[in-house]
Amino acid sequence: MFDKSTWIRLPRNVVVGHGVLDQTVEAVSELHLRGRPLVVTSPTPRRVAADRVAEEFAAAGDDPETVVVEDASFDAVQRVIEVAREADVGYLVGVGGGKAIDIAKMASHDLETGFVSVPTAASHDGIVSGRGSVPEGDTRHSVAAAPPLAVVADTEILADAPWRLTTAGCADIISNYTAVKDWRLANRLQGVEYSHYAAALAEMTAEMLVGNADTIKEGLEESAWAVVKALVSSGVAMSIADSSRPASGAEHLFSHQLDRMVPDAALHGHQVGVGTIVAEYLHGGDWRGVREALATIGAPTTAAELSIDDATVVAALTSAHEIRDRYTILGNGMSEAAAVEAAETTGVI
């Protein structure tokens, strides 16, 4: 008897394009959310977009509350939860980069309220995924949460964000290549549940970006459009799989280990991109094509460009498998000699 079932949570409204920030209230009104909105943001995004969003809610008579977070931490999540309860809000609106959106996402999950994502930088696929990432001590926790009910991505604002944030988002998407290969490997060797649909969507998203890498240019709103659509697509793949597997494999373990060893040395997406070059090599794939695509968009391809020394990269490769119980091409660990060989052959060190 067939008894398989699944529950896929996807955004109901995805609004992308020039000047769409002014459509935030309209996008939210269609969701039939009740109560006051709590706008969660950080200092720069507040100036760039959050104050405008709050003013739009106020003009609509929704009496918004705003909370500004300085850093990504569980303490910040708890503070947002406390503000939400004190202000008796009905739903949360995360306005900013990964920090504000992840905190709002995790707080709304705890509060069991709706959440709306308004990104001001196309830096990673967390703008639409059902997971939040928060550092604690020398590690980073990836926490399950509900994906946003709506995403409002203004390409005018995204195109004006620091270019390095956009290239980090591109690298995060390109990493889908090796993430899906790791997922298939885990399915074959460990019996990990696998979704052909989610995997195909994640791969198509990466291919779309790599195939158009030469059109991704700084300051071009069309580039912001292409990148944010890819990030949304990648987030949807994770929602379909109910797992981060379509977009997170050995290259993400490598990045998380670097976060432990040299916190804040480089952007998450940039570390993931360099890890993708090595992982693609280990899979016997087209690592040169991956490296070329990253270089074309201006993302780092070497340890030096990450401002991380060679020894740290090798150490991260040999210990990344310890980060979490997720089977990847790293298996039970690489030897130091194998890590050096892979990193030197690909030009990472």
Side-chain angles (χ1 to χ4, degrees), residues 14 35 61 90 97 137 189 216 321:
V14 177
L189 299 183
I216 307 297
H321 66 287

Side-chain angles (χ1 to χ4, degrees), residues 229-278:
K229 284 202 305 180
L231 292 172
V232 169
S233 180
S234 184
V236 168
M238 285 187 274
S239 291
I240 292 170
D242 194 24
S243 165
S244 61
R245 274 285 192 179
S248 177
E251 72 297 321
H252 273 68
L253 298 182
F254 168 72
S255 176
H256 294 326
Q257 187 68 332
L258 287 178
D259 288 338
R260 283 184 171 183
M261 301 171 72
V262 282
D264 303 318
L267 292 173
H268 164 76
H270 288 163
Q271 293 177 171
V272 165
V274 171
T276 301
I277 298 172
V278 176

Side-chain angles (χ1 to χ4, degrees), residues 11-12 31 63 105 119 129 137 150 158 192 196 217 228 258 272 277 283 313 318 327:
R12 286 170 53 188
L31 303 174
D63 189 23
K105 181 190 305 179
S129 75
L158 297 175
V192 171
H196 290 277
K217 304 291 185 182
V228 77
L258 287 178
V272 165
I277 298 172
H283 276 289
V313 166
T318 59
Y327 193 83

Side-chain angles (χ1 to χ4, degrees), residues 172-192:
D172 204 16
I173 291 299
I174 291 172
S175 76
N176 289 7
Y177 270 131
T178 49
V180 171
K181 288 183 178 181
D182 280 332
W183 195 13
R184 289 198 188 102
L185 186 66
N187 171 254
R188 291 195 298 268
L189 299 183
Q190 302 289 320
V192 171

